[in-house]
């Protein structure tokens, strides 16, 4: 992921140029390969490049033929070759996938954004009338913020730290939206059928779903640099790895870097993920890299994590820390891009609390709510934890076309039904349950959902709680609502993270960029209503789904700041067509 920074309509002075350069350097971790700055009058476009496609000549900002249109982009446009073929009257200076944006604007004006298949945040400046547009991808895989200065200027940055000290007000740029200087406001360019949250009725077809996801993975093999897959051993990352291994041989990437796939996993010694990932890697024949960290390693990294991830959300910090540590190790091996499994749980109702969904309408509405909020949670984590070390994460489950197919399925098929042997994400598991050409071993294909912050090792979360309890007193908690009236922390762990966040980002606008509300096992506040017992067990860990997770928290142990008491896993057999799962 690259870093973009734009200041539009500010004072034209040498001091302002120096300030833009200074702020752009705060994003250098996102793009260590090249820095660019373009100025036209009172508008500045800055770019920190992570070179994935056309490393030799794709430096930014990028331009049209006569340089009247300039654009700075963070992202990947997977259909750029197809788009180039339709721009026959245009000449391209580079082989960069992002080079199509300025030319599409020349042809179609502001209406071209929906033609882009990929992930992106960009600022486009038309010097002919000094107008500009800003856009963010459909789901918000790339991070982006917008701010306004007292002098009337508009600021755009990939991260908060690029604008928080200079803007009177700033906020997260909404995914799937475009901001136009001509209209002076936002409009949503991404308008899929599922956005209305009306319950769909398309019958489930496993082969249609399988093909859609394979296509989503294959298009993300577009790269001119070494890459690999993140492999936790859970269903989602294992499917990504399996499809990548299956189709890598025929790609341009394989001709350049070889067809041997590299996989990466992180966890505490003896964690559930490490064991499962090792088994999947052996099955697929990947070159597997296993990274270990200790609870103390993670605790020592918390301040860096909060600075880079720019949140105080407990779930996100818990999961971001091991990913942050792993990304550093991956980059040290010379890898610049990884493919990951984020997004599946939101689309298919994979979180364990979905077991309690009362009906298919509520089930579907909750998946819609979860997808709409992804840019504040998992996308934020995946983007910024990797970008902190100049690594790009690609997420095929959040492919526009795949989401269109998956969210059109009648949610009755997605619902958990123990009587019929259907566990969470059954429709996805069934789609890849191929007896003749198996994608994965059966017990991996039907492994229970394990949230990343749990799967890296159960003692990770317990260690975080213990550390917070040692640093936040009961007296501090008594005054929490006075110190932090917005999103008041209700646990010592949340209070600890909030203190660190406010030190880096003290502005009121900053604290408003972080979501709040009750949650159990990563649910929205609305879904907490599904089970009356949950309101007394509000914790984002998957083990808070009492009676569902095999290693659930003891229902009599409050989920406070003490290390959690955990029920020993009880052997469980769940009947699934063709396979028996044992805990």
């Amino acid at each position: 992921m690259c870093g973009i920074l734009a200041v539009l309509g500010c004072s034209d002075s040498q001091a302002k140029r120096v300030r833009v350069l200074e702020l752009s350097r705060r994003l250098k971790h996102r793009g260590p390969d090249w820095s660019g700055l373009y100025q036209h009058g009172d508008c500045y476009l800055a770019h920190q490049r992570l070179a994935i496609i056309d490393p030799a000549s794709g430096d930014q900002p990028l331009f049209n033929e006569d340089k009247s249109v300039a654009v700075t982009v963070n992202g990947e446009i997977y259909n750029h070759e197809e788009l180039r073929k339709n721009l026959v009257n245009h000449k391209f200076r580079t082989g960069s996938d992002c080079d199509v944006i300025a030319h599409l604007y020349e042809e179609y004006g502001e209406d071209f954004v929906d033609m882009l298949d990929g992930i992106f945040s960009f600022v486009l400046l038309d010097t002919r009338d000094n107008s500009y547009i800003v856009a963010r991808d459909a789901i918000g895989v790339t991070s982006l913020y917008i701010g306004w200065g007292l002098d009337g200027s508009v600021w755009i940055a990939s991260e908060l730290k690029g604008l928080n000290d200079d803007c009177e007000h700033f906020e997260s740029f909404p995914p799937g939206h475009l901001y136009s200087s001509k209209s002076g406001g936002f409009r949503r360019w991404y308008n899929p059928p599922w956005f209305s949250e009306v319950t769909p009725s398309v019958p489930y077809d496993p082969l249609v779903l399988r093909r859609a996801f394979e296509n989503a993975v294959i298009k993300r093999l577009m790269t001119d640099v070494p890459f690999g897959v993140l492999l936790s051993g859970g269903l989602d990352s294992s499917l990504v790895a399996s499809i990548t291994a299956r189709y890598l041989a025929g790609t341009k990437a394989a001709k350049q870097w070889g067809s041997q796939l590299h996989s990466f996993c992180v966890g505490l010694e003896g964690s559930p993920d490490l064991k499962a990932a090792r088994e999947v890697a052996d099955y697929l024949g990947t070159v597997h890299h296993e990274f270990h960290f200790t609870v103390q390693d993670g605790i020592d990294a918390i301040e860096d994590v909060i600075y880079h991830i720019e949140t105080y959300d407990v779930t996100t910090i818990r999961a971001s820390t091991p990913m942050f540590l792993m990304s550093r190790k991956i980059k040290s091996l010379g890898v610049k891009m990884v493919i990951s499994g984020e997004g599946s749980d939101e689309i298919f109702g994979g979180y364990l609390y979905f077991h309690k969904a009362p009906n298919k309408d509520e089930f579907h509405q909750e998946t819609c709510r979860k997808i709409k909020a992804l840019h504040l949670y998992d996308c934020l984590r995946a983007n910024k934890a990797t970008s902190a070390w100049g690594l790009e994460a690609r997420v095929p489950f959040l492919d526009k076309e795949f989401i269109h197919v998956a969210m059109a399925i009648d949610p009755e098929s997605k619902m958990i039904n123990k009587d019929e042997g259907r566990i969470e994400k059954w429709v996805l598991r069934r789609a890849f349950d191929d007896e003749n050409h198996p994608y994965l071993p059966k017990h991996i294909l039907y492994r229970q959902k394990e949230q990343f912050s749990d799967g890296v090792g159960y003692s990770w979360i317990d260690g975080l709680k213990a550390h917070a309890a040692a640093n936040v007193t009961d007296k501090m908690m008594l005054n929490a609502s006075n110190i932090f009236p917005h999103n008041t922390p209700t646990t010592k762990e949340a209070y600890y993270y909030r203190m660190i966040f406010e030190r880096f980002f003290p502005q009121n606008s900053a604290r408003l960029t972080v979501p709040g509300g009750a949650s159990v096992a990563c649910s929205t506040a609305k879904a907490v209503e599904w089970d009356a017992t949950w309101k007394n067990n509000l914790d984002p860990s998957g083990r808070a789904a009492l009676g569902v997770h095999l290693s659930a928290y003891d229902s009599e142990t409050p989920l406070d700041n003490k290390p959690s008491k955990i029920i020993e896993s009880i052997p469980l057999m769940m009947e699934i067509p063709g396979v028996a799962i044992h805990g």
Side-chain angles (χ1 to χ4, degrees):
M1 289 296 165
C2 303
I4 64 173
L5 175 71
V7 185
L8 305 153
C10 63
S11 59
D12 176 10
S13 68
Q14 183 61 28
K16 181 60 70 174
R17 183 181 180 91
V18 170
R19 181 58 176 162
V20 171
L21 283 169
E22 179 185 345
L23 293 172
S24 180
R25 281 194 287 270
R26 292 185 183 180
L27 308 178
K28 204 165 190 175
H29 53 275
R30 298 182 63 90
D33 297 331
W34 188 257
S35 300
L37 176 63
Y38 171 76
Q39 179 185 357
H40 176 77
D42 59 0
C43 294
Y44 300 81
L45 303 184
H47 190 262
Q48 301 287 346
R49 188 183 186 207
L50 178 66
I52 303 293
I53 303 297
D54 187 19
S57 65
D59 298 334
Q60 296 190 30
L62 296 164
F63 301 91
N64 64 340
E65 290 91 338
D66 64 3
K67 291 195 173 184
S68 61
V69 177
V71 62
T72 181
V73 191
N74 169 31
E76 300 291 339
I77 310 302
Y78 302 121
N79 63 336
H80 76 104
E81 292 185 352
E82 177 186 338
L83 291 171
R84 282 172 184 258
K85 292 176 183 176
N86 294 326
L87 294 166
V88 292
N89 297 321
H90 293 258
K91 294 181 180 178
F92 296 88
R93 285 189 169 83
T94 79
S96 168
D97 52 297
C98 296
D99 208 353
V100 296
I101 293 176
H103 302 282
L104 286 170
Y105 170 77
E106 283 189 292
E107 288 287 331
Y108 303 100
E110 295 181 356
D111 297 327
F112 75 90
V113 182
D114 198 26
M115 299 170 66
L116 301 175
D117 182 7
I119 54 174
F120 53 81
S121 297
F122 68 79
V123 181
L124 182 149
L125 175 65
D126 188 337
T127 64
R128 292 169 295 192
D129 59 4
N130 227 35
S131 64
Y132 57 86
I133 60 172
V134 186
R136 189 179 184 188
D137 64 72
I139 305 300
V141 176
T142 59
S143 60
L144 195 66
Y145 297 87
I146 182 170
W148 293 268
L150 284 173
D151 61 356
S153 56
V154 176
W155 297 60
I156 306 293
S158 294
E159 296 184 4
L160 273 181
K161 60 185 69 68
L163 51 68
N164 68 303
D165 290 332
D166 293 74
C167 294
E168 184 68 12
H169 174 75
F170 51 88
E171 58 193 48
S172 178
F173 194 101
H177 279 70
L178 178 145
Y179 181 91
S180 169
S181 64
K182 291 179 179 178
S183 63
F186 295 97
R187 67 176 172 86
R188 185 154 56 89
W189 64 264
Y190 179 56
N191 297 286
W194 65 266
F195 216 86
S196 68
E197 302 185 11
V198 173
T199 304
S201 58
V202 175
Y204 166 56
D205 186 330
L207 290 181
V208 169
L209 189 64
R210 183 199 294 183
R211 283 192 219 101
F213 188 58
E214 285 185 325
N215 290 338
V217 174
I218 291 168
K219 73 174 65 168
R220 281 159 178 80
L221 302 183
M222 177 187 81
T223 178
D224 291 331
V225 298
F227 81 104
V229 293
L230 301 186
L231 179 60
S232 70
L235 172 68
D236 308 327
S237 66
S238 297
L239 282 179
V240 169
S242 177
I243 296 167
T244 303
R246 185 170 291 206
Y247 291 100
L248 178 59
T251 65
K252 294 179 181 177
K255 293 176 182 177
Q256 191 168 0
W257 303 106
S259 56
Q260 185 81 58
L261 180 64
H262 288 251
S263 57
F264 308 96
C265 185
V266 67
L268 303 176
E269 197 80 50
S271 72
D273 279 0
L274 289 178
K275 180 182 177 184
R278 200 177 306 127
E279 183 176 356
V280 174
D282 289 343
Y283 182 82
L284 298 177
T286 69
V287 178
H288 192 56
H289 307 267
E290 187 175 285
F291 305 123
H292 299 165
F293 76 104
T294 65
V295 172
Q296 191 60 54
D297 290 335
I299 288 171
D300 291 343
I302 288 293
E303 290 207 12
D304 284 339
V305 169
I306 292 174
Y307 173 74
H308 280 286
I309 309 301
E310 302 179 325
T311 189
Y312 51 82
D313 176 68
V314 170
T315 320
T316 306
I317 293 168
R318 286 175 174 181
S320 293
T321 305
M323 195 171 194
F324 176 86
L325 296 171
M326 174 173 59
S327 296
R328 188 175 193 179
K329 291 281 191 181
I330 293 173
K331 187 59 184 293
S332 74
L333 298 175
V335 172
K336 296 177 73 173
M337 185 271 282
V338 289
I339 309 178
S340 186
E342 274 78 18
S344 171
D345 293 309
E346 287 74 15
I347 294 169
F348 295 105
Y351 292 108
L352 297 183
Y353 72 89
F354 274 94
H355 280 244
K356 299 294 181 75
N359 54 61
K360 71 176 187 178
D361 297 321
E362 290 259 8
F363 187 102
H364 179 70
Q365 288 162 18
E366 177 70 359
T367 60
C368 294
R369 289 191 292 265
K370 290 293 293 181
I371 296 172
K372 290 175 183 179
L374 264 170
H375 67 289
L376 301 172
Y377 295 103
D378 286 28
C379 287
L380 187 90
R381 166 179 56 81
N383 180 278
K384 293 182 180 177
T386 51
S387 293
W389 302 106
L391 183 67
E392 177 180 287
R394 295 182 179 176
V395 284
F397 278 109
L398 298 181
D399 179 83
K400 269 199 309 182
E401 183 56 35
F402 177 72
I403 293 176
H404 176 74
V405 171
M407 290 301 288
I409 297 171
D410 187 331
E412 185 69 40
S413 301
K414 294 181 180 180
M415 292 185 71
I416 293 89
N417 188 324
K418 291 183 179 180
D419 294 337
E420 296 181 12
R422 288 182 358 206
I423 63 173
E424 67 278 353
K425 292 187 286 194
W426 176 82
V427 292
L428 182 63
R429 301 175 196 271
R430 180 69 187 87
F432 287 91
D433 194 349
D434 188 329
E435 296 286 352
N436 296 323
H437 304 285
Y439 286 78
L440 294 168
K442 285 278 190 179
H443 62 283
I444 295 293
L445 191 62
Y446 291 97
R447 182 189 175 199
Q448 185 180 56
K449 164 66 184 172
E450 194 76 82
Q451 284 173 213
F452 185 54
S453 54
D454 288 324
V456 295
Y458 294 151
S459 59
W460 166 232
I461 291 177
D462 299 337
L464 285 175
K465 291 184 176 183
H467 178 71
N471 286 274
V472 178
T473 66
D474 293 340
K475 187 176 180 180
M476 293 163 74
M477 290 301 297
L478 285 173
N479 293 313
S481 61
N482 296 316
I483 301 297
F484 305 117
H486 175 75
N487 279 349
T488 302
T490 58
T491 67
K492 291 185 176 181
E493 185 185 4
Y495 193 107
Y496 180 67
Y497 299 153
R498 186 64 172 274
M499 288 192 300
I500 297 171
F501 177 88
E502 297 264 348
R503 182 153 34 91
F504 291 129
F505 309 104
Q507 301 86 357
N508 187 54
S509 289
R511 62 183 67 98
L512 293 175
T513 64
V514 181
S519 176
V520 62
C522 285
S523 74
T524 66
K526 179 66 176 175
V528 173
E529 300 172 7
W530 291 350
D531 190 317
T533 64
W534 285 349
K535 61 185 176 184
N536 298 318
N537 293 279
L538 296 175
D539 189 279
S541 168
R543 292 178 289 156
L546 304 179
V548 177
H549 196 288
L550 304 188
S551 296
Y553 288 116
D554 187 332
S555 59
E556 297 181 358
T557 302
L559 299 177
D560 56 12
N561 305 289
K562 298 189 294 293
S564 312
K565 180 181 178 184
I566 300 174
I567 301 175
E568 293 297 324
S569 294
I570 300 172
L572 171 78
M573 181 176 287
M574 184 177 295
E575 294 298 329
I576 292 176
V579 65
I581 304 266
H582 296 270

